[in-house]
Amino acid sequence: MDCATDTEVQIAVGRARTAQPAWAALGVRKRVAVVREFQRVLQEKKSEAARLITREAGKPYAESLLMEVLVVLDAARFLIENAARFLRDEPVPHGSVAMKAKTGRLLREPHGVIGIVSPWNYPFSIPAVEALAALVTGNAVVLKPSESTSLVGRGLGAFLHTAGVPEAVFQVVVGDGATGAALLNSEIDKLVFTGSVATGKRIAQAAATRLLPVVLELGGKDPMLVLDDADLDVASSAAVWGAFANAGQTCLSVERCYVHRSLYAKFLESCVEKTRRLRVGDGMDPKTEIGPMIHERQLRVVEAQVEEAKLEGACVLAGGTRLLELGRNFYAPTVLADVTQEMRIMQEETFGPVLPVAPFDTDEQAIRLANDSVFGLSASVWTRDPQRGEALARRIVAGTVMVNDTISCFGISEAPHGGVKASGIGRAHGRLGLEEMVRVKYLDVDRLPRMKKVWWYGYGEAFARQMEGFIDLQFARKWGARVSGALRSAGAVARRKV
Ligand code: NAD
């Protein structure tokens, strides 16, 4: 792969900057029409897009369709339905009596050029959802896809250009971390980054030196809490899918599972049985449920955590080995029991097909364990009683908590996606994702242009008393004091101002 140099990145950003005003001037309706056309093109070419993703990232073809193409088509639907309303001026009614003569509005204007740096695990849906939100709000975009999935990044560019996005308004620069750093240091107006905590911190430091606004969508260690009244069959299927979808390389994966002690043994048994039935293999085979990991480096991280957990007393009930007969990047879906909270596998992001399961005794303890993490991306609670689930969900520190489901919130285009604590800053998807793509301008118009303001110069003893009266008029607790304040302040309007 030829990495784009600093100069090439600067040229791309310069082109984007030149092209952006005309794109913004087109107006939201015409930009929405382009998004609609993109949606039509992608729907028509869904199989081509999914094959490209599976070939480059390895995930099963069904997951490329459902967790990538479908997510993007629905995000386009959300923008088609909501972008014009979102960009409409928003009135800001004034509560203060002194400000009643003014009209206030919020204007949402594009930042200019948005840089997007994206990871390999959802190489299509992550940059596409972010890019569509940036484009529909009038920004130009320069995307730096992961070095492991640059073909998918380029493919996204081709779909957008076919739909009518001008080439200079959406550009793809391919390369590794150095190209990402070049984009970060170029004349972009905002950076939307999705990736690891380590890179996110480096980006935040560099961005701070020039106060570049950034969105950071980082890693997670998402807990799954299976309460004593959960449906065991449903919850164990959820754990297996939630931990192993995309070979566990999902930011919202079930990374640690806590099960009420009364269900623990049966839950493990069910997970093991379901895990053993999974078909691991080539993602292009429609029967495949788990594909290879993205690269051996990632596999070694997973392997090291599992081996360390074993040494510390964890019990491997399924998997726990490479599947060399399938290829060097295949790791068997793994179920671990007897894990403890101190183990690295319960603290650090694993990002592989591993389901570590630990028991708990009380809801209080479950909440404590869920919140015992530097991360706070998402979490799930499993119970037959949705009210009980919601009560617990409110106490979990995370960007998203799902009751009786996992991961699928990423496919809800209206729902904001993002984390707290080390999982990042800012949101993607939905209205909050759109807010990241605009800068808000407050526009204030005074409707009495021929009148000097009451609070301008010409201070003195009388004015001070009038203002005391004015404060009483608005905030005194007793009505009598308010009336007296009104009488004392009345003269302020007529007083002579400088
Ligand atoms: P990564 O941090 O290694 O790389 C992400 C991107 O940043 C790549 O495009 C890479 O080339 C680029 N990059 C690397 N160094 C850079 C630098 N110094 N300056 C600018 N760009 C740089 O992450 P990854 O391995 O590609 O992705 C996996 C990680 O992403 C996991 O931690 C996962 O949890 C996280 N992730 C988070 C979300 C979310 O929405 N919160 C979604 C998907 C993935």
Side-chain angles (χ1 to χ4, degrees), residues 458-469:
Y459 301 162
E461 231 175 88
F463 180 61
R465 268 194 298 278
Q466 285 160 353
M467 287 305 103
E468 285 168 4

Side-chain angles (χ1 to χ4, degrees), residues 433-471:
L434 281 172
E435 293 283 9
E436 300 285 0
M437 302 302 176
V438 291
R439 34 184 174 222
V440 171
K441 180 187 283 172
Y442 173 67
L443 176 66
D444 191 280
V445 178
D446 197 285
R447 284 178 297 200
L448 299 173
R450 294 173 57 84
M451 196 176 139
K452 289 186 184 173
K453 304 295 170 254
V454 172
W455 51 88
W456 289 356
Y457 281 136
Y459 301 162
E461 231 175 88
F463 180 61
R465 268 194 298 278
Q466 285 160 353
M467 287 305 103
E468 285 168 4
F470 185 62
I471 288 173

Side-chain angles (χ1 to χ4, degrees), residues 116-122 126 130 143-149 175-185 191 193-200 202-203 206 216-221 249-252 255 294-295 297-298 349 351 375 377 410 417-419 423-424 428-429:
I116 298 178
V117 174
S118 55
W120 45 261
N121 64 332
Y122 286 85
I126 288 175
E130 290 164 351
L143 164 67
K144 206 297 283 176
S146 166
E147 53 274 42
S148 303
T149 51
D176 54 15
T179 309
L183 183 57
L184 168 68
N185 294 322
L191 185 82
F193 171 79
T194 311
S196 62
V197 175
T199 312
R202 273 201 290 278
I203 285 178
L216 300 174
E217 300 285 353
L218 310 178
K221 189 74 194 169
Q249 303 164 118
T250 300
C251 54
L252 302 170
E255 285 254 338
I294 189 74
H295 40 51
R297 192 160 25 94
Q298 185 59 34
E349 189 174 48
F351 226 54
F375 296 102
L377 193 53
F410 188 73
H417 169 71
S423 293
H429 295 211

Side-chain angles (χ1 to χ4, degrees), residues 232-411:
L232 196 132
D233 182 37
V234 171
S236 56
S237 289
V240 167
W241 184 77
F244 302 148
N246 195 20
Q249 303 164 118
T250 300
C251 54
L252 302 170
S253 278
V254 171
E255 285 254 338
R256 49 199 174 111
C257 184
Y258 302 101
V259 183
H260 191 269
R261 200 176 295 277
S262 62
L263 301 179
Y264 185 63
K266 281 215 163 91
F267 181 87
L268 280 170
E269 207 179 289
S270 179
C271 287
V272 169
E273 191 251 317
K274 288 169 183 175
T275 301
R276 293 217 170 108
R277 286 209 306 254
L278 293 173
R279 291 180 296 261
V280 186
D282 178 356
M284 292 304 278
D285 179 341
K287 289 197 290 299
T288 291
E289 286 159 320
I290 301 185
M293 300 195 63
I294 189 74
H295 40 51
E296 212 197 346
R297 192 160 25 94
Q298 185 59 34
L299 188 145
R300 281 199 299 269
V301 171
V302 175
E303 197 171 48
Q305 285 193 15
V306 171
E307 291 308 313
E308 194 178 297
K310 272 161 63 180
L311 285 176
E312 290 170 1
C315 180
V316 180
L317 300 183
T321 52
R322 294 189 187 215
L323 298 171
L324 284 169
E325 65 280 17
L326 294 174
R328 66 193 176 120
N329 295 347
F330 284 89
Y331 194 80
T334 298
V335 179
L336 294 182
D338 301 335
V339 289
T340 57
Q341 188 67 4
E342 302 70 42
M343 290 179 182
R344 205 147 64 94
I345 204 132
M346 296 299 267
Q347 294 290 339
E348 290 181 16
E349 189 174 48
T350 306
F351 226 54
V354 181
L355 175 64
V357 189
F360 68 85
D361 293 298
T362 63
D363 288 3
E364 284 305 312
Q365 190 194 2
I367 293 287
R368 242 191 344 268
L369 289 165
N371 288 337
D372 175 27
S373 173
V374 295
F375 296 102
L377 193 53
S378 90
S380 64
V381 181
W382 297 79
T383 167
R384 282 194 171 91
D385 176 354
Q387 272 183 333
R388 181 179 174 207
E390 191 181 317
L392 258 61
R394 287 175 186 275
R395 298 175 57 197
I396 297 176
V397 183
T400 298
V401 186
M402 304 194 82
V403 177
N404 294 327
D405 204 354
T406 179
I407 300 182
S408 71
C409 50
F410 188 73

